[in-house]
Amino acid sequence: MSKDCALDELRRRAPAVARKLETGATHCRVIPADSVEVRRVIRWIETHFPMQGERIEWSQVTSHECVEWVETADLVDSFARLASGLPRDSEVVVTWADGSCPSLVIQTSELLRVAADVLEADFDTWIVCATENWCLEVHHDGTVCAAYLLP
């Protein structure tokens, strides 16, 4: 799938995200859902974190923090706090439970500006910064968890 097709697919699957990215002069890169790059990110999560089905088993991650959320505003505030240790110019990859939705590569500072739309785009969301050994998972049950992996 080409980058243009991936953007079209993002417009179809996550229209609020696409609109926000296009109108907000946000710099990001859309990655086709079926790309090697997306498979690499998913493999990174699965090999670095214990999984229970399609969810990280956070109770087995020693350095994690989980926060409950009810409203989108709670979720955005929790995300901002849990991501506050990342350098603002770090690139993160956002991927959603909908495996046919393209993923995004975006700087942390840019993601913070559009977080509400990105975090509402699907039931479950993963945000990964492999260079910082960091992962955040938003789960539809009302929890958001994050951890830096210890070296």
Side-chain angles (χ1 to χ4, degrees), residues 17-104:
V17 173
R19 258 191 319 280
K20 185 71 103 175
L21 295 173
E22 291 173 327
T23 61
T26 301
H27 302 288
C28 71
R29 185 167 52 89
V30 179
I31 311 167
D34 60 351
S35 70
V36 170
E37 190 172 2
V38 169
R39 285 193 298 275
R40 225 180 284 134
V41 170
I42 293 167
R43 193 169 32 252
W44 186 89
I45 294 169
E46 292 172 344
T47 58
H48 287 83
F49 290 91
M51 301 297 290
Q52 181 178 358
E54 293 184 6
R55 183 176 188 179
I56 295 172
E57 182 58 53
W58 290 102
S59 65
Q60 295 180 22
V61 179
T62 56
S63 62
H64 77 283
E65 181 176 356
C66 291
V67 179
E68 292 184 8
W69 60 275
V70 177
E71 302 291 328
T72 301
D74 303 331
L75 176 57
V76 170
D77 290 345
S78 295
F79 165 67
R81 188 174 59 73
L82 292 169
S84 65
L86 290 176
R88 294 189 53 82
D89 62 348
S90 290
E91 279 194 343
V92 297
V93 177
V94 179
T95 191
W96 293 281
D98 178 354
S100 58
C101 186
S103 295
L104 301 175

